[in-house]
Amino acid sequence: MAVLITRPQPNGETLCKLLNQQGFATLYTPLFNIEKGRELNQLPAQLQNLPTGSLVFAVSKNAINYANQVLHNVGAHWRSDLHYFSVGRRSAEYFTALSEQPVLYPYPNETSEGLLCLPQMQDLSDKKILVLRGNGGRELFRQQAEARGGTVEVIECYQRIAKEYDNIEQISVWKRAGINTIVVTSNEILRYLVEFVPKNDHNWLMQCHLISISRRITQLAKEYGWSQISQTARADNASICETLLVLKNGY
């Protein structure tokens, strides 16, 4: 098994090291760079202006990391009179460690849909909600929160910037490396990958076993034509490694 990792830095490189320790042959080709979001500098003022009891929802560890850094840079802190949420356990633990505040997350359904099922999300009348996310994030949570009476503000804390490669040369490298398994960690990466690979190489691409970290990615992959898809239990590197080990032992 030869595994192509497309996850952006720093998680992508960490995943490669983890897989290499488990005896996998990996090739790291991140398709996006993660950079500072265009609205990030607005965060300290918006956080400060939230009424007591408002909700703060961080979509990912990237959002948490960039948000925490900008607060640190201006000497601000995560307020103790707000309620904090994230989608998954790992993100919640990370958010808690940096903010020194309790962070709630949905279990076992670690998705936006799961978050919307939490008791705290049922009646949002007159509630202010601040969403920390990247560019092009899902609108489901915002739409549902507003439908339940909440007022939602969104801060683009980070942005994904597509990396530039010579696609013909890069695909040749993948093929020579014997790539037969691809890890994809977002819909944006999956779409970019399909566009990146020329039509005459799509048969090769669809024959690769796809490792997906969410139902949404799995569904999109099926729509593109993939039949060999394994979905991880969670989005973190440990879950990806565990899924690949099961797959490898079955090869």
Side-chain angles (χ1 to χ4, degrees):
M1 179 188 293
V3 186
L4 175 66
I5 307 299
T6 62
R7 187 166 221 174
Q9 290 274 36
N11 288 332
E13 191 170 11
T14 303
L15 177 58
C16 281
K17 291 177 180 176
L18 180 62
L19 293 176
N20 290 342
Q21 290 168 2
Q22 295 295 330
F24 287 95
T26 62
L27 188 61
Y28 187 39
T29 312
L31 298 181
F32 287 89
N33 285 327
I34 302 298
E35 299 181 5
K36 174 183 175 180
R38 290 165 292 191
E39 300 167 347
L40 182 61
N41 289 339
Q42 300 172 21
L43 174 60
Q46 287 195 254
L47 191 70
Q48 184 60 37
N49 291 333
L50 288 174
T52 294
S54 296
L55 284 56
V56 178
F57 168 41
V59 171
S60 67
K61 290 176 78 171
N62 281 320
I64 297 162
N65 193 46
Y66 277 93
N68 189 71
Q69 186 61 53
V70 76
L71 292 179
H72 176 77
N73 289 346
V74 299
H77 301 280
W78 296 100
R79 291 169 49 187
S80 60
D81 60 339
L82 304 177
H83 303 292
Y84 297 94
F85 299 84
S86 73
V87 169
R89 177 173 64 87
R90 294 297 178 92
S91 293
E93 290 171 350
Y94 188 64
F95 201 1
T96 297
L98 293 182
S99 67
E100 300 181 339
Q101 305 298 329
V103 179
L104 297 179
Y105 69 96
Y107 181 83
N109 185 14
E110 298 180 10
T111 63
S112 295
E113 290 83 352
L115 186 72
L116 288 162
C117 289
L118 291 176
Q120 297 87 343
M121 298 294 172
Q122 301 317 299
D123 182 5
L124 297 173
S125 302
D126 303 321
K127 285 287 186 182
K128 291 278 190 179
I129 304 163
L130 183 63
V131 178
L132 312 178
R133 72 179 193 188
N135 59 324
R138 291 180 75 190
E139 293 295 331
L140 173 69
F141 178 80
R142 179 179 194 166
Q143 292 166 353
Q144 288 295 314
E146 289 177 341
R148 297 174 188 186
T151 301
V152 182
E153 296 178 342
V154 176
I155 294 281
E156 180 194 287
C157 294
Y158 68 96
Q159 54 182 324
R160 306 174 190 87
I161 306 295
K163 290 176 68 69
E164 293 186 7
Y165 295 100
D166 181 323
N167 63 338
I168 303 300
E169 179 182 340
Q170 195 61 54
I171 292 160
S172 176
V173 170
W174 294 346
K175 287 182 173 181
R176 291 199 306 272
I179 293 298
N180 57 9
T181 307
I182 304 175
V183 175
V184 171
T185 53
S186 74
N187 277 14
E188 292 80 9
I189 290 174
L190 185 59
R191 291 191 189 98
Y192 186 81
L193 179 64
V194 172
E195 294 171 3
F196 184 80
V197 176
K199 293 290 186 183
N200 61 335
D201 281 314
H202 271 201
N203 282 341
W204 166 81
L205 182 63
M206 297 300 159
Q207 287 170 4
C208 290
H209 197 116
L210 195 77
I211 306 299
S212 157
I213 64 164
S214 74
R215 286 196 298 267
R216 292 174 59 241
I217 297 172
T218 298
Q219 182 57 42
L220 182 59
K222 288 178 179 176
E223 291 170 8
Y224 278 130
W226 263 281
S227 58
Q228 298 184 85
I229 307 169
S230 294
Q231 186 176 313
T232 63
R234 296 186 180 87
D236 57 89
N237 284 344
S239 293
I240 294 171
C241 183
E242 182 180 340
T243 299
L244 283 165
L245 283 169
V246 171
L247 192 60
K248 181 182 179 182
N249 292 335
Y251 260 45

